[in-house]
Amino acid sequence: MTSHSSPPTTSVCPVSLQWWRRQENNEHSDGDATSGDSPAWLRHSVRHCIETENEHRRLSVVEIFSLSPSSSRASSASTSSASSSSSLNGLLEKLSDQTEITVFFVHGAGGRSEQFIEQAKALIVDATARGLCVRVLLYDHLGHGHSAKPLHDPHLYSTDALVSDLRHMLSRFGSARNAIVAHSYGTSLTLSTLASHPDLASAVHALLLLAPSQQPPPGVSHPIWYLPAFALEWVRPLMQRPFQEGAFAAHTREQLPLLVAHEGEAGARNPMYMMRSLMRGMQWATESEVRTVRQPALILCGAEDAITSAAQGSALVEWIPNARAEVLEHSSHVLMLEQRERVNELLLDHLAVHVYRVEQKQA
């Protein structure tokens, strides 16, 4: 894969944390004035919607670039005037040309790109300090976050369709060296994509798999997903508490109630017609697919995860030849939020060795 950036379907806009966290339930949030809440690590970032196959698959994409000393000088003029779409397009093209490494983030079912904000921040800050030109690429699956939420065709949310979206992202935005950070269902999509597209897999140098599993979560096959979408909307409040108890560790629920509440509010914006189609069309990466993966894989599991258990996640080391697993205490399914500092530390160490190719110091 070579780094390049095709013209986006819609005009690019700078990223603000206010926009990212709002998650409006519409086709795309385009053209809203970004407030001054963007911190330094988001200074060189853009957001836009792209069509992966047709007008029904409009996905929200966020690109964040670190800056080496040379790229910082090259882009300073563009940055100073990056208030219009044309200047942002110019800045995007310059930064894309200089990108050495791209790290893709792939969220899970019912998730969104916002869940990786802390990892994106840590990665950009670290890469800038190392003088590396790195792009962080985050996108929302169809029906999630800021991406389109089409109603007319449930097959739009099938595993095959989501794998095709990830293939499109890797092909369109990939650099000479790439890494993928994936969570839950996103880990299965990632493994299936790498297995079915070895040409793209060859340029992926490392994987970080958060809360993965050898098998789909038990809830995927629950008969509740055969209810009509309007009925699922009625029973949604009854489903929320059991999910939170399975997704968050007891420590998190006690000490970080605002985090749990925020995730509950964000999850409530996922339309149930999408979740119903997603669950009924979900296919998990098979053992034969996973055994083809050769990338160094770091598997992180939450000790209290009741959705994709630590035992099921850790067992993937039996299928991936170059993998190691670590179980994090005081965390459950959304460990990148619950234990963000530890997850960030492990992510940066993994990238340094396998993607940045920094020699490890001998003890």
Side-chain angles (χ1 to χ4, degrees):
M1 289 182 288
T2 57
S3 177
H4 63 283
S5 182
S6 304
T9 302
T10 59
S11 298
V12 296
C13 300
V15 177
S16 73
L17 290 181
Q18 181 184 21
W19 166 85
W20 212 349
R21 287 174 169 151
R22 186 166 60 248
Q23 302 297 334
E24 290 178 336
N25 186 18
N26 55 14
E27 287 269 327
H28 57 88
S29 299
D30 206 34
D32 62 308
T34 55
S35 63
D37 68 346
S38 295
W41 65 274
L42 276 176
R43 187 171 300 152
H44 294 90
S45 59
V46 291
R47 58 183 176 85
H48 48 86
C49 290
I50 64 171
E51 294 176 0
T52 59
E53 292 183 357
N54 54 54
E55 68 276 11
H56 301 302
R57 301 199 71 80
R58 293 171 59 83
L59 304 186
S60 174
V61 175
V62 170
E63 297 179 73
I64 313 171
F65 297 86
S66 69
L67 291 178
S68 69
S70 59
S71 63
S72 178
R73 289 191 297 270
S75 65
S76 60
S78 297
T79 305
S80 63
S81 61
S83 57
S84 67
S85 293
S86 59
S87 59
L88 277 168
N89 272 309
L91 175 59
L92 174 60
E93 183 177 354
K94 287 183 178 181
L95 293 176
S96 297
D97 289 343
Q98 297 164 356
T99 298
E100 303 167 323
I101 297 163
T102 298
V103 181
F104 296 84
F105 284 81
V106 186
H107 68 75
R112 64 211 183 282
S113 62
E114 181 207 341
Q115 293 175 313
F116 294 117
I117 281 181
E118 292 300 328
Q119 286 70 50
K121 174 183 176 181
L123 200 159
I124 290 296
V125 171
D126 179 73
T128 300
R130 294 178 184 273
L132 296 171
C133 295
V134 174
R135 166 171 45 199
V136 169
L137 192 290
L138 308 103
Y139 72 99
D140 292 320
H141 294 310
L142 193 73
H144 297 71
H146 287 285
S147 290
K149 299 172 175 62
L151 174 62
H152 67 282
D153 185 357
H155 294 97
L156 292 171
Y157 302 106
S158 68
T159 293
D160 288 344
L162 297 180
V163 165
S164 180
D165 289 339
L166 179 53
R167 177 204 59 77
H168 182 95
M169 295 295 171
L170 292 171
S171 177
R172 178 168 176 170
F173 296 103
S175 304
R177 285 178 286 160
N178 304 277
I180 302 177
V181 181
H183 175 241
S184 191
Y185 182 36
T187 67
S188 179
L189 295 172
T190 296
L191 296 171
S192 292
T193 302
L194 295 179
S196 59
H197 296 90
D199 55 325
L200 298 177
S202 63
V204 176
H205 292 257
L207 303 174
L208 179 65
L209 306 178
L210 303 169
S213 178
Q214 285 185 327
Q215 300 175 354
V220 170
S221 57
H222 197 286
I224 197 170
W225 298 115
Y226 286 87
L227 291 175
F230 72 85
L232 287 170
E233 293 291 354
W234 289 344
V235 301
R236 183 198 292 269
L238 301 178
M239 301 167 66
Q240 186 172 44
R241 183 169 181 177
F243 174 79
Q244 290 180 345
E245 291 177 349
F248 295 95
H251 177 269
T252 304
R253 298 196 303 271
E254 293 170 2
Q255 300 298 320
L256 299 172
L258 292 180
L259 169 63
V260 177
H262 176 74
E263 286 299 299
E265 292 169 1
R269 298 190 184 99
N270 290 321
M272 276 301 188
Y273 65 81
M274 178 275 293
M275 292 300 299
R276 179 179 185 268
S277 299
L278 192 75
M279 293 299 180
R280 292 183 61 176
M282 185 177 291
Q283 297 175 341
W284 215 252
T286 64
E287 179 179 354
S288 60
E289 288 179 316
V290 176
R291 286 189 179 276
T292 67
V293 173
R294 293 293 180 267
Q295 287 80 5
L298 175 59
I299 296 169
L300 300 183
C301 307
E304 300 177 40
D305 194 340
I307 297 177
T308 54
S309 71
Q312 278 283 323
S314 300
L316 279 173
V317 298
E318 302 170 3
W319 294 356
I320 303 176
N322 195 9
R324 69 180 183 90
E326 183 166 332
V327 178
L328 304 188
E329 299 297 328
H330 304 298
S331 63
S332 183
H333 192 62
V334 286
L335 60 166
M336 68 281 198
L337 299 175
E338 298 178 283
Q339 294 291 331
R340 64 189 189 187
E341 292 183 1
R342 180 58 177 156
V343 170
N344 292 351
E345 178 186 6
L346 292 167
L347 166 63
L348 297 180
D349 287 347
H350 193 58
L351 293 177
V353 174
H354 299 291
V355 183
Y356 304 161
R357 297 171 181 169
V358 176
E359 293 292 333
Q360 289 181 300
K361 294 181 179 180
Q362 298 296 324

